[in-house]
Amino acid sequence: MRTTSDNQKRIIYILTVIALALGISQVLMLRELANRPAREEPKPKIVEEEPKIPEVSRGTVAIIIDDFGYRNDAISERFLKLDADLTYAVIPGHEHSRSFSLKAEEEGYEVIIHMPLESRYKTKGEREYILETNMTSAELESRINKVLDHLPEAVGMNNHQGSKASEDSRVMGILATLLKSSGKYFIDSRTTTGTVAELTMRNYGVPTNRRHVFLDNQDDADMIKIQLEELFDKAETMGTAIGIGHAKLNTIAVLEEEIPKRKAQGFDFVFASEVAN
C-alpha cells in the first residue's frame, strides 16, 4: 500500500513532466516565430488628386476654329489634340479640305462648312464655291449642293467673309432652304452689322445662333487672351457664348494653355450644334 509520501512524490513527478513539456513547447513555438519572415505592413496607396472642377457650371462656351483646308502641318495637327469639344470649320475646295475634315471627325471633333460668301471688299480664292448676290437662284443652289456633297461629314455651316451676301435676304433664303432640307445648322459669323443670316435661318426653321467674340482678329497671343477673357465673361453672364478663331499658331498656343484652366474654373466646352437652336 502506497504511503502519502509516495503519492506526493508521484504528483511532483507528474507536475515536473508537465512543466518540462510546456517549456519545450514554448521554446519550439518561439523558435518557429523567430524563423518566420517578418510580416510586411501594406504600403499605403498613393492617390494622385485630380484638379477639382466645380460641380455647378459657370457657363457654356462653343469655340469654332475657321479656315481649315489651307494647311496640313504641325499647327493643324495640334488642333486635333486639344482636350475639348471644339468645332472645326473647313473651307471647301482646298488641297487639304477633304482630308482634314475626315481626320477631325475621326478624332471626335465636330466639322462644319466654312461657306464662302461674297464680301464688300476685294477677296481671292474659293471662286468655284463662293455665293454671290448677282447669281441666279439655280446657280446658288448648284454651288451650295456642290459644297454639301464635297463635305458630307459636316453637320452645320458658318460663313467665310460675306459682308455683302449675308445682308441679302434672297441669298440667305436659298441657303436656309437647302440647310433645312439637309438637316444642318448655321452659325452667323457676323462679318457685318447688317447681316440677316441669323434672322433668315430662324424664319426658315434652321437651328442657328451667332458669334459673340472674334478671338484672333489681332494675331497676338496677349490680345487673344484678352478676347478669350471677354468670351468667358459673356458665357458667365449669358449662360452661353460662341467664339470664333482661326487655324493660327498663336491661337493654338493660347488654347493649349487656357482650355485646362477654364475647365478647372467650371466652364463647359460644347460643340456649336449644342448651342444652335
Side-chain angles (χ1 to χ4, degrees):
M1 186 173 181
R2 292 182 180 176
T3 63
T4 301
S5 177
D6 290 337
N7 287 336
Q8 288 178 341
K9 287 179 181 180
R10 187 170 179 273
I11 292 170
I12 292 171
Y13 173 77
I14 291 171
L15 292 175
T16 302
V17 171
I18 292 172
L20 286 171
L22 289 173
I24 293 170
S25 176
Q26 288 181 342
V27 169
L28 291 174
M29 287 179 62
L30 290 172
R31 182 180 294 175
E32 182 181 352
L33 291 172
N35 290 332
R36 284 184 186 177
R39 181 182 176 185
E40 292 186 4
E41 292 294 327
K43 296 180 180 179
K45 292 182 179 180
I46 299 174
V47 180
E48 294 184 4
E49 291 188 3
E50 296 182 358
K52 293 182 179 180
I53 299 176
E55 293 182 5
V56 179
S57 173
R58 288 179 61 184
T60 298
V61 174
I63 293 180
I64 301 171
I65 302 298
D66 287 348
D67 291 356
F68 286 106
Y70 293 129
R71 65 196 315 156
N72 178 31
D73 55 11
I75 293 175
S76 57
E77 287 298 314
R78 285 167 67 180
F79 276 100
L80 296 175
K81 293 180 173 60
L82 288 173
D83 184 20
D85 289 345
L86 301 174
T87 301
Y88 293 153
V90 181
I91 300 182
H94 288 280
E95 181 181 358
H96 305 293
S97 300
R98 191 83 185 91
S99 60
F100 181 86
S101 180
L102 289 170
K103 193 183 298 185
E105 183 189 38
E106 289 173 1
E107 293 296 331
Y109 300 93
E110 187 168 83
V111 175
I112 63 174
I113 297 163
H114 195 36
M115 188 71 202
L117 300 183
E118 183 181 4
S119 172
R120 294 192 178 281
Y121 310 97
K122 186 176 181 180
T123 58
K124 59 181 180 179
E126 295 88 43
R127 302 315 306 170
E128 296 180 25
Y129 297 93
I130 191 168
L131 305 183
E132 298 181 339
T133 56
N134 62 358
M135 289 179 174
T136 65
S137 297
E139 288 174 322
L140 290 169
E141 290 178 8
S142 175
R143 291 202 166 190
I144 295 166
N145 284 323
K146 182 179 180 180
V147 169
L148 295 175
D149 291 340
H150 178 54
L151 298 172
E153 56 278 352
V155 296
M157 178 183 290
N158 72 343
N159 54 295
H160 172 57
Q161 301 174 349
S163 57
K164 186 174 183 180
S166 66
E167 293 182 347
D168 190 293
S169 297
R170 183 182 70 92
V171 174
M172 290 298 99
I174 293 170
L175 180 58
T177 299
L178 293 176
L179 288 176
K180 176 70 174 178
S181 63
S182 62
K184 302 186 189 301
Y185 68 87
F186 186 87
I187 301 296
D188 188 352
S189 300
R190 295 190 63 81
T191 56
T192 172
T193 56
T195 177
V196 296
E198 181 186 6
L199 177 60
T200 304
M201 297 299 158
R202 294 199 185 283
N203 289 340
Y204 280 76
V206 177
T208 191
N209 210 321
R210 64 172 65 188
R211 180 270 312 162
H212 298 104
V213 178
F214 271 128
L215 303 180
D216 52 11
N217 273 357
Q218 296 186 54
D219 191 11
D220 174 84
D222 291 334
M223 289 304 301
I224 294 171
K225 289 181 180 180
I226 290 173
Q227 293 299 95
L228 265 177
E229 187 68 37
E230 181 180 351
L231 176 66
F232 288 104
D233 284 346
K234 286 183 179 294
E236 193 163 21
T237 301
M238 302 187 302
T240 299
I242 299 174
I244 293 182
H246 299 82
K248 299 177 180 180
L249 176 58
N250 283 329
T251 304
I252 181 60
V254 171
L255 289 177
E256 287 171 338
E257 178 184 346
E258 290 294 323
I259 285 175
K261 293 179 183 178
R262 298 298 179 170
K263 281 186 171 183
Q265 291 171 359
F267 289 98
D268 296 324
F269 289 81
V270 300
F271 296 130
S273 59
E274 296 180 51
V275 296
N277 47 55

